[in-house]
Amino acid sequence: SLQSVSTILRQGETLAQQRLIRVLTHELMNSLTPIISLSDTLADNIALGNGRNINDEEMGTALAAISNRAKGLMEFVQRYRMLSGIAPPVISAVKVQELITNMQQLVKPQMNEGCKVSFNICCADAVIGIDRTQIEQVLLNLLKNALETEATQVDVTAALSDDERWLIVSVTDNGGGFPQEAAENLFTPFFTTKPSGQGIGLAVCRQIVSNHGGLVGAECTEDGNGARFTLRLPMPEV
């Protein structure tokens, strides 16, 4: 039997929450463990009075380390608050042609030399109900991710599903793809494959799309040389 989309969404949300808890626990433990260890060491040495085995400079260094890690933990929590602070979508009728064409203009300044970006709209006259600002943010994030790879080709395609109940937008690049083991965590908050990434962008995308009743996913391309991010948004019922 076929599962309803709402059931699939709930299952996806449950798995995402479980992964989020694992990531949060990991990050919190990474921060709290050194804080507790250094705090205990300092407290033990203070209790020794004149017999302590660390000097003032070492104590100052330890206190600075505690402060820096605490600030890092605070920044981590503030980034998490960003996810829970996403406003509900304000829905309006948007022509698919205008949505994708606007993306084409917005992404031009970010295009790299040697990387060709193509846009293929197969449902130009279709009209969808979305929060345009939020969905533009999602599409820009997906395009930005593709352009930050070593891709020489990025293809953006917009089409309706066979039953015309969904708008499907895919962003495909040939930038090398991602490790298979990373696939299930790409949209988990704070998970990132980039050395300087914060793991927020795709998590925000997933939350926005979920608020629209849609789905977003990622996979490596068939040849293994790139990645494809696919956005599915429900079309208005006729």
Side-chain angles (χ1 to χ4, degrees), residues 85-91 131 134 211-212:
I86 297 173
V90 179
I91 304 298
D131 185 314
Q134 291 188 355
N211 289 348
H212 279 75

Tab-separated table of all heavy atoms in Angstrom, residues 85-91 131 134 211-212:
chain	number	residue	atom	x	y	z
A	85	GLY	N	13.450	29.989	15.082
A	85	GLY	CA	12.892	31.328	14.898
A	85	GLY	C	12.400	31.600	13.494
A	85	GLY	O	12.105	32.752	13.155
A	86	ILE	N	12.303	30.570	12.654
A	86	ILE	CA	11.829	30.767	11.282
A	86	ILE	C	10.330	31.062	11.303
A	86	ILE	O	9.540	30.303	11.857
A	86	ILE	CB	12.111	29.521	10.426
A	86	ILE	CG1	13.624	29.290	10.319
A	86	ILE	CG2	11.504	29.678	9.033
A	86	ILE	CD1	13.995	28.003	9.637
A	87	ALA	N	9.947	32.168	10.678
A	87	ALA	CA	8.545	32.587	10.695
A	87	ALA	C	7.698	31.678	9.816
A	87	ALA	O	8.190	31.116	8.825
A	87	ALA	CB	8.442	34.027	10.198
A	88	PRO	N	6.419	31.503	10.170
A	88	PRO	CA	5.523	30.719	9.306
A	88	PRO	C	5.442	31.376	7.927
A	88	PRO	O	5.529	32.603	7.802
A	88	PRO	CB	4.175	30.800	10.036
A	88	PRO	CG	4.517	31.162	11.443
A	88	PRO	CD	5.746	32.002	11.373
A	89	PRO	N	5.282	30.577	6.870
A	89	PRO	CA	5.232	31.155	5.518
A	89	PRO	C	3.991	32.014	5.299
A	89	PRO	O	2.904	31.676	5.774
A	89	PRO	CB	5.220	29.917	4.609
A	89	PRO	CG	4.698	28.810	5.462
A	89	PRO	CD	5.173	29.111	6.859
A	90	VAL	N	4.187	33.119	4.597
A	90	VAL	CA	3.072	33.973	4.163
A	90	VAL	C	2.836	33.641	2.691
A	90	VAL	O	3.604	34.048	1.812
A	90	VAL	CB	3.404	35.462	4.348
A	90	VAL	CG1	2.239	36.322	3.860
A	90	VAL	CG2	3.721	35.767	5.810
A	91	ILE	N	1.779	32.891	2.426
A	91	ILE	CA	1.562	32.318	1.109
A	91	ILE	C	0.946	33.331	0.139
A	91	ILE	O	0.018	34.064	0.486
A	91	ILE	CB	0.648	31.082	1.193
A	91	ILE	CG1	1.244	30.042	2.165
A	91	ILE	CG2	0.435	30.474	-0.186
A	91	ILE	CD1	2.593	29.508	1.753
A	131	ASP	N	5.597	31.156	0.084
A	131	ASP	CA	6.190	32.381	0.599
A	131	ASP	C	7.409	32.641	-0.284
A	131	ASP	O	8.436	31.983	-0.159
A	131	ASP	CB	6.619	32.201	2.062
A	131	ASP	CG	7.128	33.489	2.688
A	131	ASP	OD1	7.948	34.191	2.041
A	131	ASP	OD2	6.746	33.790	3.834
A	134	GLN	N	10.914	33.212	1.299
A	134	GLN	CA	11.507	32.037	1.930
A	134	GLN	C	11.980	31.014	0.900
A	134	GLN	O	13.072	30.440	1.039
A	134	GLN	CB	10.504	31.404	2.898
A	134	GLN	CG	10.230	32.251	4.137
A	134	GLN	CD	9.394	31.502	5.163
A	134	GLN	OE1	8.940	30.390	4.940
A	134	GLN	NE2	9.195	32.116	6.315
A	211	ASN	N	7.763	23.568	6.368
A	211	ASN	CA	6.672	24.488	6.715
A	211	ASN	C	5.725	24.716	5.536
A	211	ASN	O	4.570	25.119	5.732
A	211	ASN	CB	7.235	25.828	7.186
A	211	ASN	CG	7.900	25.742	8.551
A	211	ASN	OD1	7.758	24.747	9.258
A	211	ASN	ND2	8.639	26.768	8.926
A	212	HIS	N	6.220	24.484	4.328
A	212	HIS	CA	5.388	24.616	3.123
A	212	HIS	C	4.694	23.304	2.768
A	212	HIS	O	3.982	23.231	1.762
A	212	HIS	CB	6.241	25.062	1.932
A	212	HIS	CG	6.518	26.531	1.874
A	212	HIS	ND1	7.422	27.159	2.707
A	212	HIS	CD2	6.007	27.519	1.095
A	212	HIS	CE1	7.464	28.454	2.431
A	212	HIS	NE2	6.619	28.694	1.459
